[in-house]
Amino acid sequence: MTNTTHFGYQTVPEEDKVHKVAEVFHSVAAKYDIMNDFMSAGLHRVWKAFTIAQAGVRPGFKVLDIAGGTGDLSKAFARQAGPTGEVWLTDINESMLRVGRDRLLNKGTPTPTLLCDAEKLPFPDNYFDRVSVAFGLRNMTHKDVALSEMRRVLKPGGKLLVLEFSKVWEPLKKPYDVYSFSVLPWLGKKIANDAESYRYLAESIRMHPDQETLKKMMEDAGLERVQYHNLTAGVAALHTGIKL
Ligand SMILES: C[S@@+](CC[C@H](N)C(=O)[O-])C[C@H]1O[C@@H](n2cnc3c(N)ncnc32)[C@H](O)[C@@H]1O
């Protein structure tokens, strides 16, 4: 029997999801950064700044940025880890990674860049001081496998940071739905000539586990002291956990 999963609101065979997600990110890569600023009115920068502060990267740290895309987190981590550190920008999607790699080169913060699937990380056990994934987990087919992999590559005492869209505070749900299902696809059409990818974005956010469910998933993957911070009334949340 074929196992199925969600791609936005559609139910699809598990093996199809990775290809559908790939199509979305090949399509949006060139306009990804400008769309992020438009869609969130710049808020994604605040959420990432909070994540970077919570990561507390110090000189010499080894950091893995999973689903790093166009490299916002990697860029900050590379500056903090300095020349004695090691920051890897990784993603499953070549188009996104190419934009990220070029951007980091242009900013004078070149980092090793690697095409890889979060569900099969090509790194040894107990290697990284920090592992981050920003707005990536939602797109993964087997989130439990990916979270276990993230824990595996962390050193004992290392920290995982998961920044993701989450469940918004109930009184804001109606206006947020109107924004997500009307304004977002319209912006996607106008700016990136791609309404579909931004409809997927809105749907995939609704299908993603809420704050408490994701906390439990991280605990089930073996992470400890798991906690979360709601950002902008739960539009996004930062979950952190430690490998002991
Ligand atoms: C919304 S973008 C986030 C990019 C960046 N982290 C940021 O916050 O701006 C989501 C990224 O997740 C990547 N992705 C999806 N599934 C993945 C997987 N299984 N392994 C690694 N990356 C994945 C996509 O290719 C895409 O670049």
Side-chain angles (χ1 to χ4, degrees):
M1 204 179 71
T2 315
N3 288 336
T4 58
T5 187
H6 295 290
F7 174 75
Y9 287 167
Q10 297 171 43
T11 300
V12 299
E14 277 192 352
E15 60 273 22
D16 288 2
K17 175 159 175 166
V18 74
H19 303 295
K20 288 180 169 292
V21 170
E23 275 169 30
V24 167
F25 289 103
H26 284 308
S27 166
V28 304
K31 294 275 169 61
Y32 179 80
D33 289 324
I34 188 171
M35 273 300 290
N36 265 357
D37 280 335
F38 264 101
M39 284 182 317
S40 72
L43 273 174
H44 76 106
R45 292 173 184 258
V46 179
W47 302 333
K48 286 172 181 162
F50 182 72
T51 304
I52 291 158
Q54 292 292 316
V57 172
R58 294 199 294 273
F61 267 25
K62 292 191 171 86
V63 184
L64 174 62
D65 185 14
I66 293 177
T70 60
D72 280 347
L73 293 188
S74 290
K75 185 170 53 132
F77 292 150
R79 288 196 177 131
Q80 293 168 331
T84 56
E86 194 179 306
V87 177
W88 287 79
L89 169 62
T90 68
D91 200 286
I92 201 172
N93 189 287
E94 206 182 323
S95 307
M96 292 290 284
L97 204 55
R98 189 171 288 134
V99 176
R101 181 203 55 192
D102 291 353
R103 217 173 135 222
L104 294 190
L105 278 172
N106 290 339
K107 297 274 178 194
T109 44
T111 62
T113 301
L114 188 73
L115 193 72
C116 69
D117 184 348
E119 297 184 22
K120 287 177 236 125
L121 291 173
F123 295 101
D125 298 356
N126 307 320
Y127 191 76
F128 290 102
D129 298 285
R130 297 288 182 269
V131 172
S132 64
V133 55
F135 304 111
L137 188 66
R138 196 183 67 247
N139 302 295
M140 294 171 193
T141 309
H142 305 101
K143 297 173 185 52
D144 53 340
V145 176
L147 288 170
S148 295
E149 276 291 88
M150 294 175 203
R151 181 187 176 278
R152 179 184 67 75
V153 300
L154 271 174
K155 287 177 187 171
K159 190 179 198 180
L160 171 64
L161 300 110
V162 183
L163 176 62
E164 192 45 275
F165 291 106
S166 204
K167 188 152 187 238
V168 75
W169 185 47
E170 197 58 33
L172 291 185
K173 195 176 166 298
K174 271 246 162 68
Y176 184 54
D177 278 350
V178 171
Y179 173 76
S180 306
F181 291 102
S182 307
V183 181
L184 265 190
W186 179 83
L187 270 179
K189 176 92 188 107
K190 284 278 165 216
I191 297 170
N193 195 23
D194 181 358
E196 267 320 295
S197 294
Y198 289 91
R199 195 161 293 121
Y200 162 71
L201 169 67
E203 293 180 2
S204 67
I205 291 170
R206 299 309 183 284
M207 299 306 289
H208 189 64
D210 65 14
Q211 288 85 335
E212 283 295 324
T213 310
L214 178 54
K215 179 172 185 265
K216 169 89 173 41
M217 286 167 70
M218 288 174 66
E219 288 165 348
D220 289 347
L223 289 144
E224 314 227 12
R225 296 194 211 148
V226 178
Q227 49 180 311
Y228 61 83
H229 304 264
N230 281 317
L231 302 167
T232 318
V235 171
L238 173 67
H239 285 67
T240 60
I242 308 285
K243 173 174 175 177
L244 291 181

